[in-house]
Amino acid sequence: MTKFLFVTGGVLSGIGKGAVAAAIGKSFQFRDLDVDMIKIDPYLNVDPGTLNPIEHGEVFVTDETWGFNPSEDSSFKIAEIDQDFGTYERFLDKTIHPRNNITSGQVYLSVLLQERAGSYLGRTVQIIPHITDEIKRRIRAVAERDSPDILISEVGGTVGDIEASPFLEAIRQLRLEEPDDRTALIHVTLVPYLETIGQLKTKPTQHSVKNLLSAGLQPDAIVGRSDRKLSEPAKEKISLYSNVPKRAVISDPNIQVLYELPLLFEKQGLGDYLCDILRLRARRPSLSLWEKTVDKFMRADEELRIAMPGKYTQILDSYISINKALKSAAAELGYEAKLEFVDTEPFEEDPEKLERLEDYHGVLLTPGFGTRGAEGMIKASRKSLSMDIPFLGICFGSQLLFIAFCRENGLEEANSAEVDPETPHPVVDLLPEQKEISQKGGTMRLGGQEVLIEPRTLLHEAYGKEKVVERFRHRYHLIPKYVKKMKDKGLTLSATDSEERIVNAIEIEKNQWAVGVQFHPEFTSRPDNSNPVYLSFVKAAVERKKTSSEGSKA
Ligand code: GLN
């Protein structure tokens, strides 16, 4: 019998509710219980695939692609998911199904298309009960599929948002329908510290709990996000006003390594408390493996400087899985990766700015779409190649690396049809099957796909095998005719798809380590199991650091 645990947020969004939900999941895994996660996104997009990363952070890609059928005769491919899925997969070392991301867009689409199909003939279709029934059905369907011991559903946004209210109502109904020990609710709020009076303020929390109560939801625990541990008086106040026992008021302070969060919760007894209220008979938590992982991050202190030229440099979350993959790989080798996002638009006017790339131990060219900033990214690749800085191009980054190489080798006007549709040398162009598609949501080549790796390549050295599965999200690809042409000039084709139709990876022979991959190895990288491509890139960057510091000593 699956137990349902809900995580809601109060006061502000962006305070790390996803990490709290994942860390709670980890507490159950410590006790050998099976956990699954749902992310509820109240926005009306069917999935986040059409959102700009600057608007909503990274679009995560799942391994499986889900054929979402809101009605009998309609179907959408879903593998583009909220970035919180990345947090869940990294904390829980688990592949999560795209069905577990429930958006308002999906829920409304199902109900509206079913109304047209006549499923509600004679009745008025309403938010209660039709939308709320559909939400409950989706949540229960996840529980029924794999029967996890615990199913944690995180509700995006904050309590009080208009869009979120049908979800809160559905949760209220579900809690009423299930026995008391089958559901729990944790509310995550901000507890600000006011410097001027030297005090943690609990009033915003009190207000947001009131909001939750007015939706008919009594929290079982409060997680207080703050820049420091909650003081005893703050805990007492929150306990009193929220009507939860003091042991259920949990601190979520700033920490150096995010992966420490489950251990911090464990110390405060949150895992035991949740097992008590959910009447879960679990074994004693075993923490040592996770402690080792956390320790690895704590100890990594030698700086490794990685530049990330790209276009979505305004917010940290645009490339969150890449950041995490780089940091994990570096930590594995005892280094702390210092990442610097470099906006490439200025490179287009002022090539001197490119010289700065020399200060880095590695350059990672980021994924992306469209024209803006692309020319600067191509310039950044050419410069990095000429300085032989270890270089990793991801998806768009790999396509632009190829363009840089073509330009370097006789095709000065080479470009991607995505960046310049008029280019005389479209060395990167739409995949043939993409040429007929005009619709935008869920129509790219998506999800986990086989990658066949050529022996005696850097990629083969990294993976140590010839076949892997990695995740993709693209419309364009390197045109094989041009790749063939460039082979004589020192380009290695190091991986293809299983039909040998799509170029999945290239390497630049004259460079020590310059690789471009059409896939996104960051999505399968885990804190205790770094993706081999990242590990191999970071090793090359460490080499550069070592040789350059020897050089400066001499
Ligand atoms: N815009 C490129 C494409 O569609 C690359 C996409 C990406 O970087 N994810 O193929």
Side-chain angles (χ1 to χ4, degrees):
M1 278 281 242
T2 299
K3 309 271 182 177
F4 296 93
L5 201 151
F6 297 97
V7 178
T8 55
V11 185
L12 283 184
S13 63
I15 58 173
K17 182 155 44 71
V20 170
I24 292 169
K26 198 78 208 166
S27 309
F28 292 113
Q29 279 190 341
F30 288 154
R31 293 165 170 79
D32 220 9
L33 293 163
D34 187 26
V35 182
D36 203 357
M37 307 286 301
I38 286 180
K39 174 71 198 292
I40 288 170
D41 281 307
Y43 49 64
L44 286 168
N45 302 61
V46 170
D47 68 33
T50 51
L51 287 171
N52 187 325
I54 299 170
E55 170 109 10
H56 200 72
E58 166 191 278
V59 176
F60 189 73
V61 179
T62 48
D63 183 45
E64 279 176 83
T65 301
W66 172 42
F68 164 52
N69 301 109
S71 67
E72 246 170 48
D73 53 1
S74 61
S75 182
F76 299 90
K77 269 193 328 184
I78 298 199
E80 295 163 294
I81 303 285
D82 186 85
Q83 60 163 307
D84 278 319
F85 260 46
T87 310
Y88 305 159
E89 291 206 352
R90 286 186 286 272
F91 269 83
L92 304 178
D93 190 17
K94 186 182 165 95
T95 302
I96 299 173
H97 198 280
R99 253 179 299 213
N100 295 22
N101 189 193
I102 308 175
T103 66
S104 288
Q106 291 169 14
V107 170
Y108 281 86
L109 196 61
S110 299
V111 171
L112 293 177
L113 290 178
Q114 280 158 35
E115 186 272 335
R116 290 290 83 181
S119 307
Y120 307 107
L121 275 187
R123 275 173 288 154
T124 312
V125 180
Q126 292 179 299
I127 293 188
I128 304 171
H130 302 104
I131 294 289
T132 46
D133 279 354
E134 175 62 14
I135 295 169
K136 288 185 289 179
R137 187 192 69 73
R138 286 285 304 269
I139 295 174
R140 288 195 168 109
V142 173
E144 279 153 22
R145 198 177 57 241
D146 294 331
S147 308
D149 298 314
I150 322 278
L151 176 59
I152 301 177
S153 304
E154 179 198 345
V155 186
T158 47
V159 169
D161 296 348
I162 290 179
E163 286 174 340
S165 55
F167 289 100
L168 297 181
E169 170 58 17
I171 293 169
R172 185 193 69 77
Q173 293 173 15
L174 194 146
R175 295 197 79 181
L176 184 70
E177 288 158 12
E178 299 292 337
D180 282 352
D181 63 358
R182 219 181 149 194
T183 74
L185 191 146
I186 297 179
H187 192 55
V188 184
T189 75
L190 181 75
V191 184
Y193 180 79
L194 269 198
E195 290 285 346
T196 43
I197 48 167
Q199 224 179 33
L200 283 163
K201 302 306 283 180
T202 64
K203 190 71 85 189
T205 300
Q206 296 174 33
H207 281 301
S208 93
V209 171
K210 269 211 183 100
N211 246 329
L212 196 61
L213 287 170
S214 69
L217 291 167
Q218 165 66 53
D220 296 291
I222 303 284
V223 172
R225 178 76 187 92
S226 186
D227 66 348
R228 64 203 63 212
K229 283 194 178 139
L230 298 180
S231 60
E232 286 308 302
K235 279 192 174 182
E236 271 153 25
K237 253 194 187 155
I238 293 174
S239 152
L240 181 69
Y241 284 99
S242 314
N243 200 24
V244 303
K246 199 172 148 210
R247 70 182 272 230
V249 182
I250 307 291
S251 287
D252 176 9
N254 288 358
I255 43 179
Q256 198 192 330
V257 175
L258 185 66
Y259 299 121
E260 201 193 341
L261 197 57
L263 300 175
L264 217 75
F265 286 171
E266 206 51 56
K267 267 190 211 136
Q268 300 179 68
L270 181 60
D272 287 338
Y273 170 73
L274 291 174
C275 285
D276 284 352
I277 60 170
L278 289 169
R279 302 234 171 85
L280 275 165
R281 253 185 292 143
R283 60 164 227 204
R284 280 162 55 90
S286 119
L287 310 176
S288 55
L289 277 178
W290 194 250
E291 279 168 344
K292 256 194 213 140
T293 301
V294 173
D295 204 45
K296 181 178 77 187
F297 283 90
M298 296 269 195
R299 271 204 265 197
D301 55 0
E302 201 176 329
E303 187 177 284
L304 193 70
R305 284 159 54 78
I306 308 286
M308 290 170 59
K311 55 195 293 182
Y312 310 120
T313 49
Q314 291 93 327
I315 66 164
L316 291 174
D317 278 2
S318 308
Y319 307 111
I320 186 157
S321 293
I322 295 180
N323 306 350
K324 300 284 177 189
L326 284 170
K327 285 188 181 277
S328 299
E332 204 119 318
L333 304 169
Y335 288 81
E336 190 189 356
K338 292 268 185 233
L339 312 178
E340 268 178 61
F341 300 128
V342 185
D343 183 0
T344 50
E345 271 188 291
F347 291 165
E348 291 161 24
E349 286 104 55
D350 183 1
E352 282 207 357
K353 291 214 164 89
L354 282 166
E355 300 298 329
R356 286 210 327 250
L357 289 176
E358 185 149 29
D359 302 339
Y360 296 94
H361 304 119
V363 171
L364 183 144
L365 204 65
T366 52
F369 295 84
T371 309
R372 185 181 63 81
E375 205 45 49
M377 289 173 77
I378 298 170
K379 288 201 162 79
S381 326
R382 284 180 94 160
K383 192 73 193 170
S384 315
L385 292 184
S386 74
M387 293 190 288
D388 200 11
I389 307 173
F391 185 96
L392 174 59
I394 307 282
C395 200
F396 196 46
S398 163
Q399 297 169 359
L400 299 179
L401 164 69
F402 182 56
I403 294 166
F405 187 83
C406 292
R407 289 187 183 180
E408 211 49 66
N409 289 283
L411 294 180
E412 198 42 58
E413 288 173 277
N415 215 331
S416 163
E418 180 180 12
V419 179
D420 174 12
E422 306 300 324
T423 173
H425 301 298
V427 300
V428 176
D429 204 346
L430 281 172
L431 285 159
E433 62 273 29
Q434 288 287 331
K435 293 194 172 154
E436 285 94 62
I437 301 174
S438 59
Q439 225 175 333
K440 283 290 177 287
T443 54
M444 284 188 242
R445 179 168 180 260
L446 288 175
Q449 314 272 351
E450 263 184 6
V451 176
L452 304 188
I453 303 166
E454 291 294 324
R456 291 179 300 281
T457 57
L458 290 170
L459 211 60
H460 190 267
E461 200 178 295
Y463 281 106
K465 47 182 157 181
E466 270 152 45
K467 203 195 275 180
V468 296
V469 172
E470 291 288 1
R471 303 183 192 178
F472 288 77
R473 178 174 183 248
H474 65 129
R475 280 194 186 90
Y476 291 81
H477 72 140
L478 310 196
I479 299 302
K481 172 178 91 179
Y482 287 104
V483 174
K484 242 187 233 147
K485 233 186 217 168
M486 289 299 139
K487 269 185 172 172
D488 299 339
K489 315 263 184 194
L491 184 101
T492 300
L493 191 173
S494 55
T496 65
D497 67 327
S498 48
E499 295 160 33
E500 296 189 33
R501 190 172 69 93
I502 302 170
V503 176
N504 277 344
I506 51 167
E507 300 178 7
I508 312 297
E509 285 159 24
K510 75 170 172 38
N511 285 68
Q512 263 184 56
W513 205 101
V515 175
V517 290
Q518 185 58 71
F519 49 89
H520 292 265
E522 60 274 15
F523 294 138
T524 51
S525 198
R526 307 272 162 91
D528 34 16
N529 189 9
S530 279
N531 180 287
V533 177
Y534 279 91
L535 206 52
S536 176
F537 166 61
V538 168
K539 268 186 195 151
V542 168
E543 272 316 301
R544 175 173 164 85
K545 175 169 173 139
K546 281 186 185 154
T547 45
S548 63
S549 60
E550 272 162 25
S552 61
K553 262 184 243 155

